[in-house]
Amino acid sequence: MSRKVHRTEVCADCSAPDPGWTSINRGVLICDECCSVHRSLGRHISIVKHLRHSGWPPALLQMVQTLASNGANSIWEHSLLDPAQVQSGRRKPNPQDKVHPTKSEFIRAKYQMLSFVHKLPCRDDDGVTTKDLSKQLHSSVRTGSLETCLRLLSLGAQANFFHPEKGTTPLHVASKAGQVLQAELLVVYGADPGALDINGRTPMDYARQAGQVELAERLVECQYELTDRLAFYLCGRRPGSLDLSELAKAAKKKLQALNNRLFEELAMDVYDEVDRRENDAVWLTTQNHSTLVTERSAVPFLPVNPEYSATRNQGRQKLARFNAREFATLIIDILSDAKRRQQGKGLSSPTGERGERTEDRGAEGRGMDSSDLSDGPITLQEYLEVKKALASSEAKVQQLMKVNNNLSEELRRLQKEGLKGEKHGSGTDSDYDNTQMYDSEEEGRGDSEEWGGGEGGEPDPTLPCTEDVILKTEQVTKNIQELLRAAQEFKHDSFVPCSEKIHSAVTEMASLFPKRPALDAVHCSLRLLASSASRLQVECRKAAPSDPSAPAVDYQLLTQQVIQCAYDIAKAAKQLVTITTREKKQ
């Protein structure tokens, strides 16, 4: 399957040439800079994938490219085509415009606020209703006009609309007509591949009856997208061995105690976190680190979804704190518990021979009905065997090392920006930090508060001066650089002394701050700093086992864990510099 994009394509948001990313649910191609803003909006606004480096089902890629080449962007920019808008000064950004605030403000208005979408004229009564739009969608999906259906969906048509007279959903109609791309679009917008018509038949039944075998198979894939993708993430990312600690066992019991609704929500949230981490991996390997990988373009945790409660948004953001092994353990526990729930077993029943395929309702990991879980062809044991085999892949480790080689460069840049902010004060472009992308959120900010501490308040007098924090950060950075060089050169005997130096530097940095800081952001960053430094020491000691009879050390896996710890330390230090600089400016 070819993934090439015509070189004449331009970014839908700023017209930059040769866009490398796409927003699947908007049907547009976007450049790297605009993609950084799309990712900060969250998957409920824009679902992004890289055109060449992400995994693509062929029909889904064809659907996106068809929409992009047939003017889907005009749906989202309808009113901008009006000459009066040009006269009023309203325009879309140019490639040379700054990401913040010019491009980011335009993109938020375009996709989050839907400021430029065509507004339907009102009738004498209540205007065009959602039911009217949904009936039009129900009829339109039997044709090949993707952009017409996208326009209806943008106006509020429901992808899961059940037609009261015809007894079917739009996905039934598209499947019967063999409209593969329409089916892809409907699923992206939440259509349920397992929905039943008035006679109890699914869209897959309709496709098979119409002789559309490939479409029927694709709908099955969509139905089980959630657990299949979680399993693929485990296999492809070599997260390490299972966590069998008492803490992990206690967490598994809590997972089993969740009711079905909360379990479904957790599975959906973990799916979104997998998507965020996979896009992060693509992002880090494709960007120019000297210009784009900064706090302003980072998506450090799942953005707030205003449709969810504050508690759920906080839980979603905390998933970013899980290290590779912890996150892998959570995924496997979810897959195992999905089977237990499907089979109706009690908490004491054994789990574990098969990883279940769990029905996924909607756009790449939406709802999941535990009553519809069924046996999948891939076993949990097979997941672990593939994962173990991938642990020996030198290419994977080299790619990881390449990504993390940029860590010291990022830290140096942060220090320079911090000093620049001290000298120049507010009102400059350097004032955009990693809290900027959440400034417009009012509810459920959760852990996003931990990155700043709020705006408009009084400065915290207990915080140390920024220069002292930066000096200590430089010492931490220097020691991390030494550790990374040792990892690159396979000098595993240097791990322990390097980790001790880092721990000492971290302790000195933490001593600058009060034991009980007033800001939750400072408290959380200090806690991450200390725990990561301690975990680093534990991991590094594995490089020099004292027991000769101990199993052979998997240095590739160990190196990955060491780098992950070092990255967490650097991230916490960056947070403290950002918070301190921000507070001192107030």
Side-chain angles (χ1 to χ4, degrees), residues 66-121:
T66 300
L67 281 173
S69 61
N70 283 278
N73 194 41
S74 64
I75 295 174
W76 314 110
E77 295 184 356
H78 176 83
S79 65
L80 291 182
L81 302 177
D82 184 352
Q85 292 289 339
V86 178
Q87 295 175 4
S88 67
R90 171 78 76 172
R91 68 169 183 86
K92 66 187 297 179
N94 294 317
Q96 296 77 21
D97 287 330
K98 293 182 178 180
V99 178
H100 301 291
T102 309
K103 291 183 180 180
S104 62
E105 289 182 356
F106 174 79
I107 291 170
R108 287 179 181 277
K110 180 177 175 180
Y111 300 108
Q112 191 170 38
M113 309 305 296
L114 300 179
S115 300
F116 316 126
V117 171
H118 176 58
K119 306 298 189 295
L120 290 175

Side-chain angles (χ1 to χ4, degrees), residues 94-270:
N94 294 317
Q96 296 77 21
D97 287 330
K98 293 182 178 180
V99 178
H100 301 291
T102 309
K103 291 183 180 180
S104 62
E105 289 182 356
F106 174 79
I107 291 170
R108 287 179 181 277
K110 180 177 175 180
Y111 300 108
Q112 191 170 38
M113 309 305 296
L114 300 179
S115 300
F116 316 126
V117 171
H118 176 58
K119 306 298 189 295
L120 290 175
C122 292
R123 301 185 313 199
D124 294 336
D125 49 17
D126 295 332
V128 179
T129 66
T130 298
K131 185 176 181 180
D132 295 331
L133 293 168
S134 300
K135 283 188 174 182
Q136 291 182 46
L137 177 68
H138 190 277
S139 175
S140 297
V141 292
R142 63 168 52 91
T143 73
S145 180
L146 276 178
E147 57 273 21
T148 297
C149 293
L150 179 61
R151 191 180 304 276
L152 290 168
L153 289 164
S154 74
L155 293 171
Q158 299 299 301
N160 273 318
F161 173 72
F162 187 86
H163 199 295
E165 289 85 27
K166 306 196 181 284
T168 56
T169 70
L171 192 54
H172 286 97
V173 177
S175 300
K176 182 178 180 179
Q179 293 292 344
V180 177
L181 303 189
Q182 294 282 23
E184 291 286 349
L185 178 62
L186 289 169
V187 170
V188 164
Y189 271 82
D192 179 6
L196 301 178
D197 72 354
I198 196 170
N199 296 313
R201 294 184 300 169
T202 67
M204 286 89 81
D205 296 328
Y206 274 67
R208 292 189 185 100
Q209 186 176 0
Q212 300 290 332
V213 179
E214 290 186 5
L215 174 55
E217 292 177 350
R218 173 60 184 149
L219 290 172
V220 172
E221 290 178 5
C222 293
Q223 189 173 10
Y224 299 118
E225 168 73 10
L226 190 147
T227 46
D228 280 357
R229 181 152 179 200
L230 295 185
F232 180 81
Y233 178 83
L234 285 180
C235 295
R237 291 292 298 280
R238 193 170 50 74
S241 58
L242 281 174
D243 188 347
L244 300 178
S245 66
E246 291 302 317
L247 187 62
K249 292 177 181 177
K252 185 171 184 177
K253 289 182 179 179
K254 289 182 179 180
L255 177 69
Q256 292 175 333
L258 293 177
N259 61 41
N260 283 344
R261 181 183 64 81
L262 292 176
F263 177 76
E264 292 163 9
E265 289 181 355
L266 175 62
M268 293 158 61
D269 295 343
V270 168

Side-chain angles (χ1 to χ4, degrees), residues 385-405:
E385 289 174 357
V386 175
K387 182 161 63 75
K388 183 178 179 181
L390 286 170
S392 63
S393 170
E394 179 65 24
K396 288 278 183 179
V397 174
Q398 291 302 322
Q399 182 182 13
L400 181 66
M401 292 296 296
K402 180 181 177 181
V403 171
N404 284 278
N405 283 342

Side-chain angles (χ1 to χ4, degrees), residues 350-393:
T351 63
E353 291 187 0
R354 297 185 70 84
E356 292 310 308
R357 305 186 79 178
T358 308
E359 177 171 358
D360 167 33
R361 300 178 182 270
E364 288 207 33
R366 284 141 315 264
M368 183 179 65
D369 188 342
S370 60
S371 64
D372 290 324
L373 303 179
S374 60
D375 264 354
I378 305 173
T379 67
L380 182 59
Q381 184 61 36
E382 287 170 339
Y383 297 158
L384 300 178
E385 289 174 357
V386 175
K387 182 161 63 75
K388 183 178 179 181
L390 286 170
S392 63
S393 170

